[in-house]
Amino acid sequence: MNTDVPSPQKSASLRSMIIRGGVVAILAAGAYVFCRSSPSITTGTESGVIMNLPEIVDGFTGEDQPVSDSERHMLPKDTEFAKKVYKNFGGQQISSQIVLAGGEKRSIHRPEVCLRAQGWTLKTGETVPVVLDNGQTLDVMKLIIARPVEVRPGVQKELTSIFLYWFVGKNMTTPYHWERLAHTNWDRIAHNINHRWAYVIVSAPVLEGFVPGGKSQAETLELLKSFVAELAPEITRPSVHLAGTAK
C-alpha cells in the first residue's frame, strides 16, 4: 500500500498544469465559436488598377505576352494578368506586367520570391521616387538583380537588370510588402473584406558591354523612370492615393 503524500510543491505544480490546460481549452473553444459565428470574408470586386497595359508608352511599342505555365500553376485560378514587352527603335527593351489578386491572399507576393526561383541574384533593393507626367510622385521599389548568361559557347557573363515594382490597392499604393499585408489584415478584421491588391512590374536589362551603345545602369534607371512616369497614370484609377504624394 502506497502511503506517500504529495508534497506542497507537487500539488502546486499539478494545480498550475490544470489551470493552464483549462485556459487553453477556453481559448480554443472561444476561437471556434468566433470563427463559426463570424461572417465569411467578402472579396472586394473593385481594384485600384486598370488591367490594360497601353499599346504605346514613352515611345515604346508593346506586344502582349502569354502567361507562363509556372505562373498559372503557382497562383490561384482567379488571378488576373496583363503582360507586355515594349521595344523602341533604338533596340531597347522594357518588360511590364500587372498581377491582380483574386479571392486568395497568396495571389500576391513579393516579386523577389519569383526572381530567385528564376535564377536571379538580388544585389540591392531600395525605394526611389518617380515624378509622374501628371505631376504626382510615386514611390517604387528598385531592385538591382543579376544572373550569368552565355554570350558565346562556353563563355558566360553576368547580366544586370533593373526591376521596379509597386503594389496597388483599392485606394492606395505602396512599395512595401509589409505595408500591403498590414492594410490587408486590417481590412479583413475591421471591415470583413479582402480587397483585391495588384502589383505592377517594370524592368529592363543593363546592356552596357553587351551591345554597341548599350545603356549604363544609371541610364537604364532613368529610362525606366521615364517609362513609369507615363505608364502609372494610365493604369491607376483617379481615386487611388499614390505613395510619395503629399496628402
Side-chain angles (χ1 to χ4, degrees):
M1 181 177 178
N2 187 355
T3 58
D4 291 343
V5 177
S7 66
Q9 292 83 357
K10 289 183 177 180
S11 297
S13 177
L14 181 60
R15 287 195 300 271
S16 177
M17 291 176 61
I18 293 172
I19 291 172
R20 287 199 299 268
V23 170
V24 171
I26 291 171
L27 290 175
Y32 175 79
V33 171
F34 176 79
C35 291
R36 293 285 292 180
S37 60
S38 297
S40 58
I41 299 296
T42 301
T43 299
T45 57
E46 299 180 40
S47 68
V49 71
I50 299 169
M51 295 296 291
N52 183 26
L53 289 168
E55 295 295 327
I56 299 176
V57 180
D58 197 32
F60 286 76
T61 301
E63 182 177 339
D64 290 331
Q65 299 296 302
V67 180
S68 68
D69 291 338
S70 60
E71 287 172 319
R72 292 194 183 279
H73 177 73
M74 182 175 62
L75 299 175
K77 292 182 179 180
D78 58 354
T79 306
E80 296 182 35
F81 299 88
K83 299 176 67 174
K84 285 184 186 293
V85 168
Y86 291 86
K87 298 178 182 179
N88 66 5
F89 290 112
Q92 186 69 47
Q93 180 173 301
I94 294 177
S95 298
S96 185
Q97 179 176 1
I98 308 173
V99 180
L100 176 62
E104 297 186 39
K105 289 194 297 182
R106 69 185 181 92
S107 295
I108 298 293
H109 52 270
R110 291 186 305 124
E112 289 92 325
V113 175
C114 290
L115 290 172
R116 292 190 180 96
Q118 294 168 6
W120 292 97
T121 299
L122 177 61
K123 297 293 187 178
T124 63
E126 63 177 339
T127 57
V128 294
V130 178
V131 179
L132 306 182
D133 285 355
N134 62 7
Q136 295 180 298
T137 301
L138 173 69
D139 286 343
V140 303
M141 183 64 68
K142 181 194 78 174
L143 305 179
I144 303 298
I145 56 179
R147 69 178 177 186
V149 296
E150 190 173 62
V151 292
R152 58 180 182 272
V155 179
Q156 289 189 331
K157 187 175 180 179
E158 186 177 73
L159 174 68
T160 298
S161 185
I162 301 180
F163 191 97
L164 305 181
Y165 74 85
W166 64 98
F167 298 100
V168 184
K170 177 186 176 183
N171 51 21
M172 65 172 291
T173 72
T174 177
Y176 301 110
H177 178 65
W178 65 263
E179 186 174 14
R180 181 192 69 81
L181 285 179
H183 282 279
T184 296
N185 292 332
W186 173 252
D187 283 340
R188 290 169 68 89
I189 294 171
H191 305 294
N192 200 48
I193 192 168
N194 182 28
H195 286 301
R196 300 183 68 189
W197 282 83
Y199 65 73
V200 184
I201 297 169
V202 176
S203 65
V206 178
L207 296 179
E208 184 179 42
F210 282 86
V211 298
K215 293 185 180 297
S216 67
Q217 188 173 129
E219 291 171 331
T220 304
L221 176 59
E222 290 306 310
L223 183 75
L224 287 175
K225 290 172 72 173
S226 177
F227 186 90
V228 171
E230 185 173 318
L231 173 69
E234 292 290 322
I235 62 172
T236 308
R237 299 192 186 279
S239 59
V240 175
H241 173 75
L242 303 182
T245 303
K247 296 182 179 179

